Amino acid sequence: MPVTLQQVDQDAWEADAQIRLDLVRIFTDAPPERLPLPVDDFIREHLAGGHLFSCARFNDRLLGAVAVKLDQNAWWLSNLCVRKTTRRRGVGSRLLALVSEAAYAEGRRLYAASSQLPVADQLLLSRLGYRLTQDGDYFELNLLPQRGHQ
């Protein structure tokens, strides 16, 4: 499945009705305990805070999204969700791989607070190379190039 990365910020949200529809559908499919607020409020507050959603795009539709909070040196990931109809097909893994490539290109670190992650997400992050910090507060992905891949 050729999934590409689409960054959705406030401007993209306001400019594109299909993005609004797809993003709402993605998070509507999330189990209720995954979101701190109702879907519309969650999306609007996240974007109004100057943050973005990194989304998996396939055939001009968004299939999955992860909330990204930006700071000077890192991207903090939370609230990963994939549409029910496309789960178990690698969309979430592909999305996180694309996010890591984009973060690496910008010289940013990637983190995910462990307290906000269901066990299934913790396992996915571990499988993708994220490691729990010594104090267990968050997962971190080492984005340094591997030998032979520079």
Side-chain angles (χ1 to χ4, degrees):
M1 180 181 282
V3 173
T4 59
L5 184 66
Q6 166 97 39
Q7 302 287 23
V8 176
D9 60 9
Q10 186 71 44
D11 291 339
W13 170 262
E14 291 173 0
D16 192 322
Q18 188 62 55
I19 284 175
R20 289 191 302 275
L21 179 65
D22 288 345
L23 202 53
V24 167
R25 284 182 176 165
I26 289 166
F27 287 110
T28 298
D29 280 353
E33 65 274 6
R34 284 206 177 224
L35 297 181
L37 301 167
V39 173
D40 290 332
D41 295 338
F42 166 71
I43 293 170
R44 284 192 177 91
E45 283 189 22
H46 184 75
L47 293 172
H51 307 299
L52 56 91
F53 292 96
S54 290
C55 302
R57 176 176 282 288
F58 177 72
N59 286 344
D60 297 322
R61 299 303 292 270
L62 302 181
L63 304 178
V66 62
V68 180
K69 289 187 177 182
L70 309 168
D71 72 23
Q72 285 186 313
N73 302 311
W75 291 357
W76 286 87
L77 308 179
S78 65
N79 306 96
L80 172 66
C81 190
V82 174
R83 291 286 319 266
K84 283 182 187 178
T85 57
T86 56
R87 288 183 189 153
R88 315 296 284 159
R89 297 183 186 179
V91 173
S93 296
R94 178 70 179 140
L95 173 57
L96 290 174
L98 291 168
V99 169
S100 69
E101 290 172 14
Y104 177 76
E106 289 194 18
R108 306 283 181 128
R109 293 176 173 253
L110 282 175
Y111 298 114
S114 60
S115 63
Q116 298 176 0
L117 295 173
V119 172
D121 288 358
Q122 291 183 29
L123 294 171
L124 174 61
L125 289 175
S126 294
R127 196 177 87 237
L128 294 173
Y130 287 75
R131 296 294 172 245
L132 195 58
T133 58
Q134 190 171 18
D135 60 11
D137 286 346
Y138 57 89
F139 283 84
E140 177 180 19
L141 181 63
N142 182 355
L143 295 171
L144 297 176
Q146 303 295 317
R147 288 187 185 165
H149 294 93
Q150 297 179 2

